[in-house]
Amino acid sequence: MSAPSTREPKHVVMVVDDREDDLYYASVILQKTCSDCDVRTYLNSEQALEDLRTRGHEVDLVLLDVVMPAMNGLEFLRAYADLQQQGRAHAKVAVHSAFGDLPEVSAAMSHPSVAHFVEKPMSRDTVRALHDLLAR
């Protein structure tokens, strides 16, 4: 018989950003600062939504860039709200942008699924705030 695990359960965090360098930086700082986070990265919203449709119950936090080609963050949030209503997703959403004063960011922040704003580039303090958000 094996001993019970003393390791904290993992929080699954999705990072959605169309810029590879921003995606890489966010995933590295999350992994280094949040030891109990399983970070999954997506270069576009469509891929992230597809994963949420099949495994949305596993995801605890979505870190979402708003200004993206094809499906932008606002379109993602509308589709995500449908998944929530269907009971297929429960993650908190944090908007991730370098431009907090853009109209798109303001519109995203007023969406009921959005719980937090994260300015790019992320700092360790920001990651701690996200970890606190996960704990709620």
Side-chain angles (χ1 to χ4, degrees):
M1 183 156 105
S2 62
S5 174
T6 57
R7 187 176 178 167
E8 285 186 56
K10 289 254 184 198
H11 293 290
V12 176
V13 179
M14 295 178 87
V15 182
V16 185
D17 200 309
D18 64 309
R19 293 179 40 112
E20 286 188 46
D21 54 340
D22 289 339
L23 193 66
Y24 175 78
Y25 181 77
S27 67
V28 167
I29 196 166
L30 280 165
Q31 289 169 344
K32 288 192 178 288
T33 311
C34 183
S35 62
D36 63 337
C37 288
D38 173 14
V39 181
R40 300 175 185 174
T41 58
Y42 301 84
L43 275 169
N44 66 61
S45 302
E46 294 92 347
Q47 289 175 333
L49 274 174
E50 186 58 36
D51 203 17
L52 282 167
R53 283 185 187 101
T54 58
R55 302 183 329 187
H57 60 282
E58 298 174 8
V59 179
D60 301 302
L61 177 68
V62 177
L63 186 59
L64 177 68
D65 184 20
V66 176
V67 181
M68 293 185 284
M71 177 185 278
N72 66 34
L74 294 172
E75 294 166 323
F76 175 93
L77 288 169
R78 283 191 285 278
Y80 183 72
D82 290 342
L83 290 176
Q84 284 182 310
Q85 288 177 350
Q86 297 166 14
R88 297 171 68 186
H90 69 272
K92 297 170 178 127
V93 178
V95 170
H96 190 219
S97 180
F99 310 103
D101 58 348
L102 288 177
E104 296 92 337
V105 172
S106 296
M109 290 304 300
S110 68
H111 194 278
S113 299
V114 176
H116 198 68
F117 174 76
V118 175
E119 188 172 8
K120 290 181 187 177
M122 287 192 336
S123 67
R124 288 181 182 263
D125 290 338
T126 301
V127 176
R128 286 185 196 98
L130 290 175
H131 196 265
D132 290 345
L133 182 64
L134 284 168
R136 288 190 232 154

